[in-house]
Amino acid sequence: MDLYQELILEHSKRPHHAGLREPFDAEVHHINPTCGDEVTLRVDVTGTGPDAVVTDISYEAQGCSISVASSSVLAEEVIGHPVSEALQTFEAMRAMLTSRGTVTGDETVIGDGVAFAGVSKYPARVKCALLGWTAFTDALARAGVDISSTSSPSPQGASS
Amino acid sequence: MGDVLPFTDGELTAIRGDFPILTRTVRDGRPLVYLDSGATSHKPTPVLDAERAFYEQHNAAVHRGAHQLAEEATDDFEAARATVASFIGAPAHEVVFTKNATEALNLVAYAFSNAAPTDEPKDERFVLGPGDEILVTEMEHHANLVPWQELARRTGATLRWVPVDADGALDLSGLDDLLTERTKVFAFTHVSNVLGTVNPVTELAERAHAVGALVVVDACQSVPHLAVDVATLGADFIAFSGHKMYGPMGVGVLWGRAELLEVMPPFLTGGSMIELVTMERSTYAPAPQKFEAGVPNAAQAVGLAAAVRWIEAIGIERIHAHEASLVDRLQRSLAERPWVRVVGPAVGTPRGGAVAFVVDGVHAHDVGQVLDDAGVAVRVGHHCAWPLHRALAAAATTRASFAVHNTPADVDALLAALDRVPAIFGLDTHREAS
C-alpha cells in the first residue's frame, strides 16, 4: 500500500520530540471525532512579529499511525524555524493533503511531509494527517501569534 | 427457534443476486466484500423497484387531497404501516414512521419535555423534573444517549447509567440502586452495535415496570437480524431504522403501546398531525398521525414495506441462523490470533450480527485501511458509542457486521486481509493483545 510509507511507520512508532515539555506559551487539545484520535500540543515561541521563532513543539498524540506520524513530522519540520516559515509549511502540507492526489508536495518546503502525499487519495484520512497541524496553528493563535496569513481551516466534518 | 435449515448455495446465490451493488468492484478492481451492514445495509432490487413504482404510478402527498393519486398514495402508505407493524407483532396504529431511528428516539425524549406541568389533562408518566431520573446504559449508541442527556438538561432530571462489565454485558449487580421509584424512563439497546451483546429486554422491562418507569428500547441492531415480537418483548417503545434492514434511507420506525401514544405529547408539529386549528391553538389527530407532521416519507415507507416482505420471504429465523454462523466463524478464527482481541461476549454466547476487535499496537483506522485496500469494507472508530469505548479502554475498534448476503468466503477475505496487518506495521504476532 502506498499509503503506509516506511517514513510514516517509523515516525508513528518512534515519534520525534514527543512528550509535553516546559516552557510553553500555549497548550491545546484537539480531537478527531470520527475516530477518537487526540493530540495535546504545546508551543513555545520566542520573539515577536517577523522575528518570531518556534522554539519548541511538544505533544502527546494518541491515534492512528497517520495522525501520530504527522505530529512527529510537524515537530521535526517546524521546531527552530521562524513562525512565518512554519505557517508556509502548514499551508503546503494542507494543499497537498487536500489535493485528492493531484499535488505531490515539495520536499524543500515540507521535508518528510512528502511521505503523506498518498493520504490525499483517501479523503477519510486527511483529517488524521492534519490533526497535529491544525492543533499547531490553533496553539500559535492562542500564544498571540498572528496566523491570519493562513487561509481559514476547512470545516470539520461531523461524526456520528 | 427450533431447527432452521441453512441456505443452500443456490439460495445464497439468489439472495446475493438481489443486490446489484455486490457486483461492483472497489479499490482497483477488487470485488466488494461488504461487512458494514450494521452501519447501513444494501438494498435489494425489490426495495428499489417498490420505491420507484410508488413515484412512477401513485406519487401524491398522502393524507391530503381527494384525487385518485392521493387515495392510492395514502393506501400505499397505510399498507406499508400495516406490513411493518405485522413484522414486529404490532397493530398498525402503534407504528409511527419517522425519518430514522434517531428521530424516533428523540420523539420520545421530546414527548417527555413537551409534557409541560401546566398541561391539562396531564399524564404524570411523561412529566419530568428535578428529583426524577433517566436511566440508560454505558453501551448505548449516541442516538440513545445524547437525547436523554439533553432531556435531563432541559428538565433538571438526573441521568444515570448501568455500567458494562469486562465481558461486554450489562453489569446488573447495582440495578436495584439505579432503577428506583425516581426512575421515569429506562432506555437501553436490545443488541449492542459494537459488542453484539443481546440484552435481556423482557427481564429489564419487568424490573423497570415494577418501579413505574417507561421502557424505551433501541432495536436498530435486533429487528433486521432476529425475530422481534413487541407483544412479548416487554418494552413500551422500540425504535429502529429502515436503512439497516434493507430498506431505504430516510425512514425509521417508532413503535409504542397505543395507550401511551394516545397520551404522549407530540414532538414535531404542523400539517397532517392536527385535528382542529384556530389562530389561538390547535388540537391533535390521534396517533400515529399526531407524530407524523408534514408530508410523510411515503415512498421510503413503501420501500421499507418491500424490505419487510423480502425478509419474510427468506425468513428472519433463517437470516439469523445464517448470520450467527458467520459471526461464529469469524469469532473463532480471530480467537486463533493472539494479537487480536475481540470485544464483547465470548464465543458461543448469543450475539448480534457485529464483531468488533482490537489489534494490539495498531489503531483501528490503520487496520480498516488495510482491509479496505483488499476490498473489505468494515467500520472503524467508536461506532457512535464513545463512552463504551472508554469503558473498554479502546480508543477505537474495527467492526465487521453481517447481513444475509454475506458468505463464509467474505469472512475468509477479511481474515486474509487482516493477516497482512502484522507485517505492514511490524507487529509481533506471538505477543498477546492487551
Side-chain angles (χ1 to χ4, degrees), chain A residues 1 3-4 9 12-13 31-38 62-66 121-125 128 159-160, chain B residues 27 141-142 363-367 369-370 372-373 379-386 390 395-396 420 424-426:
Chain A
M1 294 181 66
L3 179 62
Y4 293 112
L9 296 172
S12 73
K13 279 180 205 148
I31 59 175
N32 179 351
T34 17
C35 56
D37 285 1
E38 300 184 36
Q62 180 237 300
C64 67
S65 62
I66 303 293
K121 289 181 229 160
Y122 299 93
R125 303 305 296 278
C128 308
S159 83
S160 47
Chain B
R27 302 290 184 215
H141 186 286
H142 297 163
H363 193 278
H365 238 149
D366 294 322
V367 175
Q369 196 80 56
V370 174
D372 171 65
D373 194 53
R379 182 144 175 207
V380 295
H382 47 61
H383 321 301
C384 306
W386 211 336
R390 285 201 194 88
R420 292 180 59 217
I424 292 173
F425 295 97

Side-chain angles (χ1 to χ4, degrees), chain B residues 103-321:
Chain B
E103 186 189 293
L105 292 163
N106 273 275
L107 191 161
V108 181
Y110 272 93
F112 278 95
S113 61
N114 289 348
T118 53
D119 281 357
E120 287 297 339
K122 65 184 170 191
D123 191 298
E124 288 296 336
R125 287 173 295 185
F126 291 98
V127 181
L128 270 180
D132 292 326
E133 292 180 359
I134 301 162
L135 185 61
V136 295
T137 86
E138 204 174 19
M139 69 166 71
E140 296 313 308
H141 186 286
H142 297 163
N144 201 28
L145 171 60
V146 183
W148 303 113
Q149 292 174 339
E150 284 296 300
L151 177 63
R153 188 184 60 74
R154 287 194 301 270
T155 60
T158 302
L159 182 77
R160 304 186 76 186
W161 55 91
V162 180
V164 172
D165 69 18
D167 299 323
L170 292 178
D171 176 358
L172 300 175
S173 58
L175 192 63
D176 284 340
D177 295 327
L178 290 166
L179 192 57
T180 68
E181 304 288 332
R182 293 186 297 276
T183 312
K184 299 296 283 276
V185 55
F186 184 14
F188 57 91
T189 191
H190 189 176
V191 175
S192 162
N193 69 313
V194 177
L195 302 161
T197 309
V198 182
N199 286 323
V201 177
T202 308
E203 179 199 329
L204 294 177
E206 273 173 20
R207 292 180 69 172
H209 288 150
V211 297
L214 291 171
V215 174
V216 180
V217 171
D218 171 359
C220 285
Q221 300 293 338
S222 56
V223 169
H225 304 288
L226 48 97
V228 172
D229 179 7
V230 294
T232 55
L233 191 66
D236 296 307
F237 299 96
I238 74 168
F240 56 98
S241 37
H243 74 96
K244 292 189 203 293
M245 53 184 290
Y246 314 109
M249 293 179 175
V251 60
V253 172
L254 174 71
W255 166 82
R257 291 188 193 285
E259 60 107 358
L260 292 169
L261 293 180
E262 193 185 320
V263 297
M264 208 163 86
F267 168 37
L268 300 174
T269 55
S272 269
M273 53 78 68
I274 51 84
E275 178 190 56
L276 185 77
V277 177
T278 65
M279 282 314 294
E280 290 77 25
R281 55 163 297 144
S282 305
T283 56
Y284 305 130
Q289 275 73 33
K290 180 170 62 172
F291 302 106
E292 294 175 351
V295 172
N297 41 0
Q300 288 69 41
V302 164
L304 176 55
V308 165
R309 286 192 296 274
W310 185 84
I311 290 170
E312 286 176 332
I314 297 168
I316 189 75
E317 280 85 6
R318 295 187 81 194
I319 292 173
H320 177 65

Side-chain angles (χ1 to χ4, degrees), chain B residues 75-127:
Chain B
D75 285 350
D76 281 357
F77 183 61
E78 292 304 328
R81 191 192 309 279
T83 301
V84 172
S86 157
F87 183 59
I88 55 167
H93 62 276
E94 292 188 341
V95 160
V96 178
F97 283 121
T98 60
K99 177 178 76 172
N100 49 31
T102 298
E103 186 189 293
L105 292 163
N106 273 275
L107 191 161
V108 181
Y110 272 93
F112 278 95
S113 61
N114 289 348
T118 53
D119 281 357
E120 287 297 339
K122 65 184 170 191
D123 191 298
E124 288 296 336
R125 287 173 295 185
F126 291 98
V127 181

